[in-house]
């Protein structure tokens, strides 16, 4: 028979890296950023402050935060050639495809992708240069995201407005939620700020693992971000909240839930927004997201799909199939309904996940390069294919 190597499943669970950025206890449903519980940060902090915490390891002093915010808001403009390039995408190009391509193209505008242009400076060791790259990417990602949306709806690009804060600026450039005037509703700005905090970092998820792989090859950080965003684009990852909304629309009414769940339990499709590789308990982020829904509905009106989502959750949490497999709502289960109520189109949902996760990816990029012991990531495989055999001439093959 085949020379099948039996491998130790434990091998497959080897830890890929050590990190100080975020901690998850999947059984207890705990998530901490640099030791601070996600519940406290969601209630008391802001996304830009959390981004500082993730990337620099400590909460900023007032002066540190003012400098951080100023530097980031100072880097929201895109090179005109990049803006022009973005206008050349087909009108119905998926905004995530535009974002991934644009972040990669951005590397060709920066000297970091060609160290020869930086004599005597190392873009992976020189702190000043690394921070400059971090400010640039944190600033520009909201502009790239907004322009990908504006291209999608065939509208001109809104240049960043310097007087607005980070979230207000993004919404202004989207021109989506500022009701035609200059500032968006404060409740919606707050809701998006908390949603960005919840999506900023999550240990070694698929896209962050991609980020660490790419960082280890010492390709420039813009290309690393493009690669990580490409991983997040997948429907089993960052595309899940878009898939949840399509699932709720397909179910259509509360009365169709039992038949839908029977199909799922028969292995015909998945309950999107449920289950998690690490959480075998309620995703702590999902609990906070559910509370945000009521605030948003008070401004934008209740999204009817929330009733189907809540009934689906209630039934699934008492169903043996889901209980036995420890399947609970994850961060994506309610976000799609909230974003729809706020007026975002579904193909912008993974983009709304990408913006905050850039902070987590940059934290891992900086952490990886800070450790001189880190080498290029090169995992080994479990080879279970055929071993050494003789070549067969064409006329002897059947
Ligand atoms: C995110 O890694 C991260 O941290 C990601 C993330 C982050 O912040 O970065 O948290 C963000 O990606 C959240 C997850 C979003 N994805 C979805 O909601 C898609 C639906 N979820 C599933 O595809 C699934 O739960 C995964 C991919 C999230 C995790 O799956 P696992 O841990 O690989 O589990 P599995 O696929 O091996 O399934 C185990 C069992 C199987 O049943 P059996 O074969 O044992 O009978 O559970 C079943 C699966 O069929 N199962 C589901 C299910 N998820 C798992 N059955 C129905 N619906 C589901 N959603």
């Amino acid at each position: 028979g085949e020379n099948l190597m039996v491998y130790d499943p434990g091998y497959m669970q080897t830890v890929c890296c050590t990190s100080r950025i975020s901690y998850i206890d999947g059984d207890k449903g705990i998530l901490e950023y640099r030791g601070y519980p996600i519940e406290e940060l969601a209630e008391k902090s802001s996304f830009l402050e959390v981004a500082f915490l993730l990337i620099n390891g400590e909460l900023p002093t007032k002066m540190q935060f003012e400098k951080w915010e100023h530097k980031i808001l100072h880097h929201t403009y895109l090179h005109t050639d990049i803006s022009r390039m973005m206008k050349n995408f087909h009108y119905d190009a998926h905004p995530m495809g535009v974002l991934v391509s644009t972040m990669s193209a951005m590397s060709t505008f920066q000297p970091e992708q060609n160290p020869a242009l930086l004599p005597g400076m190392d873009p992976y060791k020189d702190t000043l240069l690394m921070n400059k790259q971090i400010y640039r990417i944190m600033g520009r990602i909201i502009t790239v995201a907004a322009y990908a949306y504006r291209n999608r709806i065939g509208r001109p690009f809104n240049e960043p407005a310097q007087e607005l804060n980070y979230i207000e600026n993004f919404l202004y450039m989207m021109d989506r939620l500022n009701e035609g005037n200059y500032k968006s509703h404060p409740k919606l700005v707050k809701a998006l700020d908390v949603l960005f905090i919840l999506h900023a970092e999550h240990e070694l998820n698929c896209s962050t693992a991609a980020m660490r792989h790419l960082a280890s090859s010492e390709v420039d950080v813009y290309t690393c971000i493009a690669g990580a965003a490409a991983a997040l684009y997948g429907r089993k990852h960052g595309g899940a909240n878009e898939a949840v909304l399509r699932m709720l629309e397909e179910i259509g009414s509360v009365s169709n839930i039992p038949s839908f769940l029977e199909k799922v339990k028969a292995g015909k499709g998945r309950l999107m927004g449920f289950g998690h590789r690490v959480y075998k308990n309620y995703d702590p982020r999902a609990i906070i997201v559910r509370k945000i829904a009521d605030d948003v509905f008070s401004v934008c009106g209740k999204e009817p799909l929330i009733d189907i989502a809540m009934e689906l959750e209630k039934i699934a949490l008492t169903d043996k199939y889901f209980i036995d497999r420890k399947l609970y709502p994850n961060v994506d289960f309610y976000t799609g309904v909230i974003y729809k109520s706020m007026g975002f189109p579904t193909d912008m949902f993974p983009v709304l996940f990408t913006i905050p996760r850039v902070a987590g990816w940059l934290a891992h990029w900086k952490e990886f390069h800070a450790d001189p012991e880190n080498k290029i990531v090169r995992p080994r495989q479990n080879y279970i294919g055929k071993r050494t055999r003789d070549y067969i001439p064409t006329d002897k093959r059947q």
Side-chain angles (χ1 to χ4, degrees):
E2 294 215 319
N3 172 17
L4 288 181
M5 284 171 64
V6 178
Y7 63 90
D8 162 21
Y11 165 82
M12 300 303 282
Q13 301 305 322
T14 44
V15 173
C16 299
C17 76
T18 53
S19 176
R20 296 179 179 81
I21 300 169
S22 65
Y23 171 75
I24 300 175
D25 181 325
D27 294 325
K28 295 188 186 131
I30 290 172
L31 170 60
E32 295 169 353
Y33 290 168
R34 299 283 188 179
Y36 293 95
I38 192 68
E39 296 80 2
E40 278 212 68
L41 293 172
E43 186 195 335
K44 299 171 183 167
S45 188
S46 69
F47 168 66
L48 225 43
E49 182 180 74
V50 165
F52 183 99
L53 170 68
L54 290 168
I55 291 168
N56 299 301
E58 295 299 336
L59 287 169
T61 61
K62 188 170 180 304
M63 195 184 300
Q64 284 173 327
F65 181 75
E66 283 168 1
K67 179 187 168 201
W68 171 254
E69 184 177 43
H70 171 76
K71 290 271 189 190
I72 288 170
L73 291 177
H74 184 72
H75 281 289
T76 46
Y77 276 89
L78 301 185
H79 190 292
T80 46
D81 290 354
I82 289 268
S83 310
R84 195 175 306 119
M85 180 202 84
M86 292 185 78
K87 287 192 167 81
N88 288 321
F89 283 97
H90 201 255
Y91 79 92
D92 62 355
H94 195 295
M96 266 306 270
V98 173
L99 184 147
V100 170
S101 316
T102 304
M103 290 316 292
S104 179
M106 204 176 279
S107 73
T108 63
F109 283 72
Q110 299 302 145
E112 295 88 5
Q113 105 282 0
N114 178 1
L117 301 178
L118 297 163
M121 293 178 83
D122 182 337
Y124 307 110
K125 299 284 177 291
D126 183 301
T127 311
L128 270 180
L129 192 49
M130 291 183 85
N131 286 340
K132 195 168 179 62
Q133 295 170 80
I134 288 169
Y135 298 139
R136 280 195 196 119
I137 291 171
M138 285 296 297
R140 292 175 190 170
I141 192 66
I142 55 172
T143 313
V144 169
Y147 287 8
Y149 168 73
R150 298 290 290 180
N151 177 68
R152 179 84 181 76
I153 60 172
R155 294 281 195 287
F157 293 168
N158 298 316
E159 299 231 323
Q162 294 311 315
E163 310 75 82
L164 300 178
N165 72 30
Y166 193 75
I167 305 279
E168 289 167 342
N169 225 323
F170 168 60
L171 293 175
Y172 166 72
M173 287 189 280
M174 287 278 293
D175 190 21
R176 183 78 222 162
L177 300 168
N178 58 16
E179 297 136 4
N181 54 46
Y182 206 60
K183 277 203 163 192
S184 303
H185 193 293
K187 266 194 174 179
L188 301 184
V189 173
K190 177 64 181 163
L192 203 55
D193 194 58
V194 176
L195 286 165
F196 278 13
I197 289 173
L198 298 174
H199 283 88
E201 156 67 10
H202 211 241
E203 203 218 58
L204 213 53
N205 59 84
C206 177
S207 52
T208 302
M211 176 43 132
R212 289 189 81 111
H213 267 70
L214 288 159
S216 76
S217 76
E218 289 202 1
V219 69
D220 67 274
V221 65
Y222 305 90
T223 307
C224 289
I225 294 283
L232 190 65
Y233 194 179
R235 70 178 180 173
K236 270 196 168 181
H237 191 10
N241 51 14
E242 187 178 347
V244 169
L245 207 78
R246 297 198 197 290
M247 171 187 75
L248 296 173
E249 286 164 347
E250 178 205 327
I251 294 171
S253 79
V254 168
S255 58
N256 295 336
I257 290 176
S259 58
F260 171 77
L261 287 178
E262 284 317 307
K263 271 197 303 184
V264 169
K265 292 192 281 187
K268 297 187 188 89
R270 288 203 157 180
L271 178 47
M272 299 308 278
F274 256 66
H276 198 278
R277 177 59 56 79
V278 179
Y279 288 124
K280 300 307 170 189
N281 197 330
Y282 221 103
D283 182 333
R285 301 168 296 175
I287 297 168
I288 303 167
V289 171
R290 176 65 196 84
K291 289 182 200 141
I292 293 169
D294 297 332
D295 287 343
V296 170
F297 293 163
S298 69
V299 176
C300 303
K302 181 177 172 186
E303 167 48 56
L305 292 175
I306 189 85
D307 293 328
I308 300 176
M310 286 171 62
E311 187 62 16
L312 198 49
E313 176 190 353
K314 201 168 118 212
I315 298 174
L317 291 183
T318 56
D319 187 303
K320 191 174 175 323
Y321 175 94
F322 297 96
I323 296 168
D324 289 354
R325 292 167 178 78
K326 296 184 178 178
L327 301 175
Y328 293 88
N330 59 48
V331 68
D332 292 302
F333 189 63
Y334 283 109
T335 44
V337 176
I338 292 173
Y339 289 145
K340 181 169 189 281
S341 167
M342 291 172 87
F344 291 105
T346 44
D347 55 14
M348 274 297 284
F349 292 2
V351 174
L352 293 167
F353 196 145
T354 301
I355 296 170
R357 190 52 61 92
V358 161
W361 292 335
L362 288 170
H364 282 269
W365 174 75
K366 188 172 180 182
E367 181 179 73
F368 184 92
H369 287 300
D371 180 351
E373 295 302 306
N374 278 333
K375 295 181 172 22
I376 189 163
V377 177
R378 205 289 184 204
R380 288 308 308 274
Q381 62 173 8
N382 280 299
Y383 180 71
I384 56 170
K386 292 183 171 62
R387 286 300 311 277
T388 318
R389 50 185 172 154
D390 297 329
Y391 183 80
I392 303 167
T394 312
D395 58 357
K396 295 272 185 299
R397 296 171 204 163
Q398 56 271 34

